[in-house]
Amino acid sequence: MLPVMLSVRGRSCLVVGGGGVALRKAESLLAEGALVTVVSPAPCPQVEALAGDGRIRLERRPYEAGEAAAYMLVFAATDDRAVNRQVFEDGQAARVWVNVADDPELCSFHVPARVRRGSLQIAVASSGEAPFATRRLRQALERRFGPEWGEWLRGAARVRDAVRGAGLPPAVQEKVFDRFFEATVDQQKLSARVPTEEEIAAWTGLDAPLVANDAPAETGEPPTTASGRDGRARVSLVGAGPGDPGLLTLRGRACLRLADAVVYDRLAAAALPSDLDGDVELHAVGKEAGNHPVPQDEINALLVRLARQGKRVVRLKGGDPFVFGRGGEEAEALAAAGIPFEVVPGVTAGVAAPAYAGIPVTHRRESVRVTLLTAHESAKEDGQQVRWDLLAADPHATLVGYMGVTSLPNVVRRLLAAGMNPSMPGAVIEQGTTSAQRVVRAPLADLAEAAAGAGINPPALFVIGPTSRHGATLDWRSGLALAGQRVVIAAPAGALGEALEASGAALVEVPLPVKPAARIVLGALPVTSCVVRSPVEVDALDGERDRPGWGRGVAAICLGAQTAARARAVGWPGVVELAENTDPVEVVSRLRGSAHAAPR
């Protein structure tokens, strides 16, 4: 079969069927701008919701012979093979392309498994012969190609625009493109980074950094027109909190609801609202230990470009924007460009992570001061900004170190050399406040070795001080029934969701159809279990299981015999069948017995 990329924007497409598979087909068409009609005598509630929102045209009736001829593209996804065959034969007669779900013989085209990173799409297909193989290959590619590739392709488009604007001859253009690719792509690791405006200017011979064609000139004045949802371009620097999405502030959530574009860090991904509108631009700018695929200067420039396009922009940052988050630098760049901005503080990990580990950072008569620092300072021999001698000599203070994994041995060495008591209590907290949180406790002299022995990885912080000793007795979280579990459930979760959260589960409520923001949230941390309440939910979530965040051992808690049967039919592992009206307490009990803590 010949692989093609088919534009369906503004074209009429038909989906025959109203269940979970049909829902997925309609969703994929809508994502590409198609005009979608769904024909089904009994559509599922999610399909009804799409119709209620005006996103699709819904005909509540059986398929009528010959009607496929009126459409450009047709999907058949009913549980009646005779109907599916009728749709296929009608399409053949009218020379209309038809795909019948899970029936390669009744297909004039196949939809490949796709990895999407912004506008970049990587397709894997087998002509319908071995879908299990393409699915697993897609899983591998999903994990190898990080979200930075979407921003990289946007950068490539800017390079192309700059080359065209510079009027370079074809031979020189190709040299610029080669230089861009060699400078930004690691072909061995399959990783990419975004070029800065200065790099693009240097490659193309421009005298000044590139300004996007759809942005006004650098005047220092705010934009005179705006397309933002509230009629005014603005950038909100929002703290997402330390990892638990419940710690995102109400003000931060309100900003996200109004956003036209969200620029988010890896550590802030879990705090995105899963039901964020599908037309909101999502820009992943990475930023994790040892990997900065989008340089800080380019993040600053991206915020300016988006605002100058008249958009309401949210810069979503882990923790608090002004606590080791470089939010001050971003605010300065916006101020220099004349872009209106606001700062929405967030809960910083230096206070929240210890609290989730049972460690109060202050305690009467024990600790009356808190020092927050970046552990990287311990590696500096000259020009240090930390007085280790003063910190070591203060027995009534709590020392909290951010980015503290690789630098912890240096910190311990400096504090001991400055005279701190080797038996001073300490702790290292990995992925604080999330379902993947781990805590290692040890006296100062043994802390680095204990963290290394436990395999602690970034992001993590350390707490050193007298109040660390309370962690063993005030650890309120690890004893909860579902502590360490991250449970997926279709929205709305209702009373069952409340019971899961009260038992310590990190709950991910996924709207159906699944929206882009929900996929980012799902991939932010490992999923341990999925609760499904209908065959429609099984089908709607089945296509998500090969994306980041899902492992092969994810348990499926199915409410109802039909739900369990559907889960087994599509190959879900670890199916646990419960009665449809099972009490939430019993669901919690079965989850505790069937699922495992998040993989480390």
Side-chain angles (χ1 to χ4, degrees), residues 471-488:
T473 55
L474 300 184
D475 180 3
W476 55 274
R477 193 162 178 262
S478 63
L480 296 174
L482 299 182
Q485 293 199 33
R486 192 166 189 248
V487 182
V488 173

Side-chain angles (χ1 to χ4, degrees), residues 324 350 361-362 367-374 385-388 390-392 394 396-402 462-464:
F324 305 126
V361 292
T362 65
S367 181
V368 295
R369 286 171 292 280
V370 181
T371 298
L372 306 180
L373 57 84
T374 59
Q385 300 180 68
V386 175
R387 290 288 303 274
W388 300 101
L390 297 181
L391 295 175
D394 190 347
H396 299 291
T398 301
L399 179 62
V400 180
Y402 291 66
F462 61 77
V463 186
I464 298 171

Side-chain angles (χ1 to χ4, degrees), residues 28 32 111-116 121-124 138 142 547:
S28 65
E32 302 303 329
V111 179
R114 292 185 296 169
V115 176
R116 301 197 62 166
Q121 297 192 42
I122 304 170
V124 184
R138 173 188 163 180
E142 283 276 8
R547 299 180 186 274

Side-chain angles (χ1 to χ4, degrees), residues 135-136 538 542 545 552 564-575:
R135 178 168 184 162
R136 283 159 176 77
V538 172
D542 184 54
R545 293 193 298 116
R552 294 185 179 179
R566 184 57 184 165
R568 295 188 185 100
V570 298
W572 282 41
V575 173

Side-chain angles (χ1 to χ4, degrees), residues 155-534:
R158 288 168 44 228
V159 171
R160 181 170 179 262
D161 289 343
V163 166
R164 285 183 170 183
L168 302 177
V172 177
Q173 290 184 25
E174 289 302 313
K175 289 183 179 180
V176 172
F177 296 150
D178 286 342
R179 198 174 306 157
F180 156 73
F181 195 85
E182 292 169 2
T184 60
V185 176
D186 186 327
Q187 298 183 55
Q188 297 299 318
K189 297 180 179 178
L190 287 181
S191 62
R193 71 168 181 84
V194 176
T196 64
E197 293 189 0
E198 287 73 16
E199 285 179 306
I200 298 175
W203 294 335
T204 55
L206 299 174
D207 294 328
L210 173 70
V211 177
N213 292 337
D214 55 356
E218 293 268 358
T219 62
E221 297 296 326
T224 56
T225 61
S227 59
R229 299 184 185 191
D230 64 353
R232 191 162 55 91
R234 186 181 185 87
V235 176
S236 299
L237 303 176
V238 176
D244 183 342
L247 297 181
L248 175 68
T249 65
L250 293 175
R251 175 61 183 164
R253 187 173 295 276
C255 290
L256 286 163
R257 295 294 183 196
L258 293 173
D260 300 297
V262 178
V263 179
Y264 66 95
D265 287 340
R266 182 181 66 92
L267 298 181
L272 279 170
S274 294
D275 58 350
L276 207 61
D277 284 350
D279 59 355
V280 175
E281 293 181 27
L282 298 170
H283 297 262
V285 293
K287 298 190 72 174
E288 57 184 300
N291 181 26
H292 298 271
V294 184
Q296 184 62 52
D297 287 348
E298 173 53 26
I299 295 174
N300 298 346
L302 174 62
L303 297 176
V304 172
R305 282 198 303 272
L306 292 171
R308 284 188 171 149
Q309 292 167 10
K311 296 184 170 87
R312 261 311 279 267
V313 183
V314 168
R315 172 68 173 108
L316 191 64
K317 305 173 70 67
D320 180 274
F322 282 5
V323 180
F324 305 126
R326 303 188 74 171
E329 297 173 44
E330 294 170 358
E332 288 172 344
L334 294 168
I339 303 296
F341 68 91
E342 64 176 325
V343 179
V344 180
V347 180
T348 184
V351 174
Y356 272 52
I359 301 173
V361 292
T362 65
H363 197 287
R364 193 163 61 94
R365 295 193 192 88
E366 290 184 17
S367 181
V368 295
R369 286 171 292 280
V370 181
T371 298
L372 306 180
L373 57 84
T374 59
H376 296 322
E377 286 292 319
S378 65
K380 295 180 179 179
E381 297 298 335
D382 299 317
Q384 291 187 56
Q385 300 180 68
V386 175
R387 290 288 303 274
W388 300 101
D389 56 333
L390 297 181
L391 295 175
D394 190 347
H396 299 291
T398 301
L399 179 62
V400 180
Y402 291 66
M403 296 162 276
V405 176
T406 58
S407 298
L408 183 57
N410 285 331
V411 171
V412 171
R413 176 174 57 83
R414 290 189 179 277
L415 291 174
L416 291 175
M420 181 173 275
N421 187 342
S423 62
M424 180 68 77
V428 181
I429 307 167
E430 176 187 327
Q431 299 267 26
T433 78
T434 74
S435 57
Q437 175 177 300
R438 288 198 299 159
V439 183
V440 172
R441 310 180 197 277
L444 174 64
D446 303 325
L447 191 59
E449 183 178 354
I456 295 292
N457 293 306
L461 54 75
F462 61 77
V463 186
I464 298 171
T467 61
S468 293
R469 68 181 178 84
H470 294 290
T473 55
L474 300 184
D475 180 3
W476 55 274
R477 193 162 178 262
S478 63
L480 296 174
L482 299 182
Q485 293 199 33
R486 192 166 189 248
V487 182
V488 173
I489 188 170
L496 177 54
E498 293 175 2
L500 293 171
E501 288 191 310
S503 300
L507 195 67
V508 184
E509 287 192 64
V510 179
L512 301 182
V514 182
K515 297 186 177 181
R519 293 193 172 104
I520 292 170
V521 174
L522 286 169
L525 290 164
V527 172
T528 60
S529 307
C530 183
V531 176
V532 280
R533 296 163 291 186
S534 71

